[in-house]
Amino acid sequence: MSDRPQLAIDGLTGGYGDIVVLSGFTATVDPGSTACVAGRNGVGKTTLLRLVTGALAPVAGRVRLGDAEITHAPRHRRLRLGMGYAPQENVVFDDLTVLENLTLAAADRSLDRYDELLDAFPRIGERLSQRAGTLSGGEKKILSFCRALAEATELVVLDEPSEGVQPENIALMTGIIEAEKAKGRSFLIVEQNLGLIEVVADAVHLLDHGECIYSAPAGADVRGELSRRMRL
Amino acid sequence: MELIATHGLNFLYAFATLALVVLGLAVVFGLLGVMNMAHGEFVMIGAYSALAVQQAGLPFLFAIPAAIAVCVVIGWLVEWGLVRHLYKRPFDTLLATWGLAILMREVVEAIFGREYQSVDQVLPGTFSLAGVEYPAYRVVLMGIIAVLFGALFAWYQRSNAGARVKAMVQNPALAAAMGIDTERLARWTFVFGVTTAGLAGVLLSPLVRVEPFMGLDYLLSSFFILVVGGLGSLEGLIVGSGVIGGTDIFLSALFDKTSGYLGVLTISIVFLWLRPNGIVSRL
């Protein structure tokens, strides 16, 4: 593995129109590691991911993905550059079938790269011909999670992947993330589920009012520390 | 009996040609939200492509690639230089494409003149269908349109490219995050829409008068079909073409052409009033 971080965010600032929601966020994600971003609702977590994935243009700051400067790269190019993404809301194309959702970015409808993921989440595999809009909220999140993981990207960005997902499936997600990290993939995860953070995070960042108020390598006390600070 | 068969075939002919003409407008408006007021002018460009090919002494079939090439180039330039800057601004798009329509008419008038012209009959003679001698070219044209729609429907429903278009329409932000170049896809969707209009112009050119203002009639018919059938689906386009074409043919046969046109207008007004989303609507 190279010494260069897989993702480097430097002083990222941005928001919506004249309203700055995130200010001066800086973090790195090394190959084979996970950075988790936590915080209460409305503190800028999703805005951070929207800035990183290109849905919003930053006012200031830089984003590097491996060797590539991607601060202003078009959104659709980021997948090819190595950044997979599963958003928090509107996570699937409701009018497309589950199979079409899974293979949209591929050249064909082959599910070879989904073998392990569909073994872990067989309910998705059983519903391939069904319209994705008929899935439950949790199933949609799993579909989105599988789609982001199946792309051969060095970095996977997940926005609250456990939201609305049953605990046993969260445990499966956690196991898959750990296994992928062991293969050298990196993750940037916005999450409020402290249990998931505790297991997968190598570094945690706590946002409040658009600013990072706490950054630390994950340790035994991460859950307690985050709980205490998020209550403040 | 023979009269019923004749009117039945006339209905099928009107239905098929209307569906072909409106296809591009339905694609561009249904998928991109762009009301292309120059749609009829692309039909006109197709017809003049056939006329130009005829004047050059080339066979009629050369008109098809010629019209496709001309419409692809103009459509690409229009999307790149005009329409892409006005997405999500429907009124501005409407005005801009109306201006484009005027420009296209003026340019064609400057090149070919304003007088009515005609493209020679391509396939003279008749086919015997259901006991009726029906013009051969019309029968072939209906067959071509049926095959075209069948292929398009299969492509849209089954191909990954069709799924990407649907994804772009439903959630462009997520589609872009999935690696789909939505700007490029929108551009080629627009080009496809105007090119089908040009193709319609070529295929209809031996049957209609060719003149710079011919597109206006097609634009109006297309609006009526979209109002009645509904936006955003091939099913709506086909249902709308059937209702509008059927009403026109039935009332024209029963009374006169003016009654047919009045019937079409009345139905469109009733739909705008009571069911503005049309019979079949994705929206």
Side-chain angles (χ1 to χ4, degrees), chain A residues 33-112:
Chain A
S33 73
T34 297
C36 285
V37 180
R40 292 171 296 181
N41 290 332
V43 297
K45 304 189 300 294
T46 292
T47 301
L48 165 66
L49 294 199
R50 288 171 66 82
L51 289 163
V52 169
T53 58
L56 287 174
V59 174
R62 294 172 62 190
V63 182
R64 271 192 94 77
L65 180 66
D67 294 328
E69 164 82 41
I70 62 161
T71 311
H72 298 289
R75 195 174 193 191
H76 69 270
R77 283 194 57 219
R78 297 180 190 223
L79 181 72
R80 231 169 295 161
L81 289 168
M83 179 188 285
Y85 176 49
Q88 182 188 5
E89 293 174 334
N90 300 320
V91 297
V92 299
F93 301 100
D94 286 349
D95 291 341
L96 302 187
T97 65
V98 170
L99 177 64
E100 287 172 331
N101 265 278
L102 291 173
T103 57
L104 200 59
D108 57 37
R109 295 268 163 88
S110 167
L111 288 173
D112 289 350

Side-chain angles (χ1 to χ4, degrees), chain B:
Chain B
M1 192 61 198
E2 195 175 303
L3 192 65
I4 293 172
T6 302
H7 288 316
L9 286 168
N10 283 341
F11 163 70
L12 283 178
Y13 169 74
F15 165 61
T17 53
L18 282 173
L20 179 63
V21 166
V22 80
L23 173 64
L25 188 69
V27 165
V28 169
F29 190 39
L31 301 183
L32 303 179
V34 171
M35 180 49 79
N36 180 16
M37 298 295 283
H39 177 75
E41 276 58 45
F42 281 96
V43 178
M44 181 261 292
I45 291 285
Y48 272 99
S49 298
L51 188 69
V53 163
Q54 176 180 285
Q55 288 174 350
L58 296 168
F60 176 76
L61 281 179
F62 279 62
I64 294 175
I68 289 174
V70 170
C71 290
V72 165
V73 171
I74 297 176
W76 196 95
L77 288 171
V78 167
E79 201 281 341
W80 175 76
L82 187 71
V83 171
R84 70 184 298 188
H85 308 288
L86 302 174
Y87 285 130
K88 300 187 191 301
R89 289 162 60 186
F91 187 66
D92 293 345
T93 312
L94 198 131
L95 286 179
T97 54
W98 180 247
L100 175 70
I102 294 170
L103 179 68
M104 289 169 75
R105 284 198 294 269
E106 293 296 326
V107 169
V108 167
E109 192 177 322
I111 297 171
F112 291 95
R114 192 167 190 172
E115 65 277 13
Y116 289 4
Q117 301 188 67
S118 60
V119 172
D120 294 342
Q121 184 55 264
V122 179
L123 199 61
T126 59
F127 284 144
S128 184
L129 280 179
V132 176
E133 291 299 316
Y134 206 69
Y137 184 72
R138 287 189 174 207
V139 176
V140 171
L141 186 55
M142 286 189 279
I144 290 172
I145 294 170
V147 170
L148 187 70
F149 268 80
L152 182 64
F153 191 76
W155 174 83
Y156 191 59
Q157 293 299 334
R158 294 181 188 170
S159 73
N160 241 9
R164 285 184 194 132
V165 172
K166 286 185 249 180
M168 173 190 71
V169 173
Q170 193 186 334
N171 189 339
L174 182 59
M178 297 297 101
I180 297 170
D181 185 347
T182 50
E183 276 189 20
R184 186 164 172 263
L185 196 55
R187 183 175 314 137
W188 286 109
T189 301
F190 183 83
V191 169
F192 173 81
V194 299
T195 303
T196 61
L199 187 62
V202 173
L203 295 175
L204 290 172
S205 63
L207 302 169
V208 298
R209 66 182 197 282
V210 179
E211 48 99 10
F213 285 79
M214 64 184 285
L216 286 174
D217 286 345
Y218 291 117
L219 183 68
L220 282 174
S221 305
S222 301
F223 278 145
F224 295 150
I225 289 165
L226 293 184
V227 164
V228 173
L231 292 169
S233 73
L234 276 176
E235 294 89 337
L237 183 160
I238 287 167
V239 169
S241 301
V243 172
I244 293 297
T247 303
D248 190 18
I249 291 295
F250 179 72
L251 292 178
S252 296
L254 210 56
F255 304 108
D256 53 25
K257 191 68 191 161
T258 307
S259 304
Y261 199 67
L262 190 64
V264 167
L265 271 176
T266 307
I267 285 184
S268 301
I269 290 167
V270 167
F271 267 86
L272 274 175
W273 178 27
L274 298 176
R275 199 180 166 90
N277 283 341
I279 296 171
V280 184
S281 178
R282 177 176 57 78
L283 304 174

Side-chain angles (χ1 to χ4, degrees), chain A residues 172-225:
Chain A
L172 286 168
M173 284 178 165
T174 307
I176 291 168
I177 291 169
E178 285 295 279
E180 292 298 314
K181 276 171 59 182
K183 294 177 192 168
R185 292 181 92 176
S186 310
F187 290 82
L188 174 64
I189 304 177
V190 157
E191 187 55 73
Q192 302 212 51
N193 182 329
L194 298 183
L196 188 145
I197 292 175
E198 193 173 38
V199 176
V200 303
D202 297 292
V204 290
H205 307 275
L206 184 63
L207 285 182
D208 195 22
H209 292 96
E211 294 186 359
C212 186
I213 59 166
Y214 172 73
S215 286
D221 62 341
V222 64
R223 187 178 190 136
E225 187 65 28

